[in-house]
Amino acid sequence: MFLALKEIKHEKMRYGLIVFMIFLIAYMILATWGLAYGLARENTVALEGWQTKSVVLNKNANLFMNSSILTKDDLKKIDLTDKEAVVGELQVVAKKKGKTGINAQYMGVKKGEFIYKDQDVIAGRRAKSKYEVTADSSFKDKGYKLGDKVTLNGSDHKYTIVGFVKDAKINIEPIMYGFLPAWKELKNVAPGIEVSGIISQRKLSVKGKNFKAYGIKEFTQKLPGHSEQNLTFELMIAFMFIISLAIVAVFLYILTIQKLPNYAVLRAQGVPAKTLIWATVSQSLLLVTSALVLALLAIWGTAAAIPASVPMAFTPGIFLATIGGMLVMALLGGLNPVRTILKIDPVQAIGG
């Protein structure tokens, strides 16, 4: 460690550039991971808020709730408890005159069930009548206010926004909570159609002629673009870790080659090879640690300054995984020149 620190202090510009390169990679990994998690969260944040464990849908809906319909007879065959809530989902365009329309998901619910009761209202109140709705807070960010009257898919009736709720998104679209009678009217369903599906906080295994219960993992994987998006980001992050390993390894190898005469003198003076190896590895860890500290500070500033419309979010696991992954890359990169150090011939290296 002493040799590593002395060398870094002596070659500030050289090592500063290496730290800057690693900082850029670490920052990009954190930013990409934050965006990946933020987008994934917007796909499923409402489902998480409902503590969903199972979803009951029509068998022919391909796990897409918007396409699912359950009849009154279907509901009679399912033993519903206070852990289940029925929903009617419909994709809508909400628009107020003079404002830009917003793509949203209308979610018809029942008053006595947990989805209605557990809405995290941050302004206003929960809807009480057929043509009232509570909307995700992103509506507020886009200029909509309490009391605004909006049309849904050009409906004849106008719906009044009476409240804004936190974390009400599914499939990256904001939710508007209303009631099932309004959902039936908007969707223009046939008589006997009751709901789109059932959200359950239990692990259900019900199965009928027209319906089936699906686990939450299976359901979320079928959300449009969800698994493809996650796979893309995971590959990007993996490539960035590999690039960081390559940069650390290449730079340290070049520096080791340049320092062979110095190492040869130290070996000739009786300095053990393990001391030189530890100096190289510790130098690698110091450079990456410095870059990580800068990257964490930079991403914290970015997250604070970035607009609310950009879905960037973090968890402690993201930070720990990035730090751990980068340090592993630093360790592997630092071990790269070990063979060169072990093969140093003091006599040849100093020109004897």
Side-chain angles (χ1 to χ4, degrees), residues 2 59 74 79 94-95 132 143 145 148 155 160 184 187 203 209 212 215 237 253 272 295 301 318 332 338:
F2 173 77
K59 281 183 177 179
D74 292 332
D79 183 22
K95 184 169 175 56
E132 290 182 343
K145 303 184 297 295
D148 280 353
S155 57
T160 305
K184 291 179 183 180
K187 196 173 176 71
K203 290 184 178 180
K209 181 181 178 182
K212 183 181 177 182
I237 293 166
Y253 183 76
I318 289 175
L332 294 174
V338 166

Side-chain angles (χ1 to χ4, degrees), residues 125 127 131-134 145-150 158-163 176:
R125 58 173 174 81
Y131 296 115
E132 290 182 343
V133 293
T134 52
K145 303 184 297 295
L146 293 176
D148 280 353
K149 295 183 181 297
V150 299
K158 290 189 176 181
Y159 293 75
T160 305
I161 298 176
V162 297
M176 301 185 82

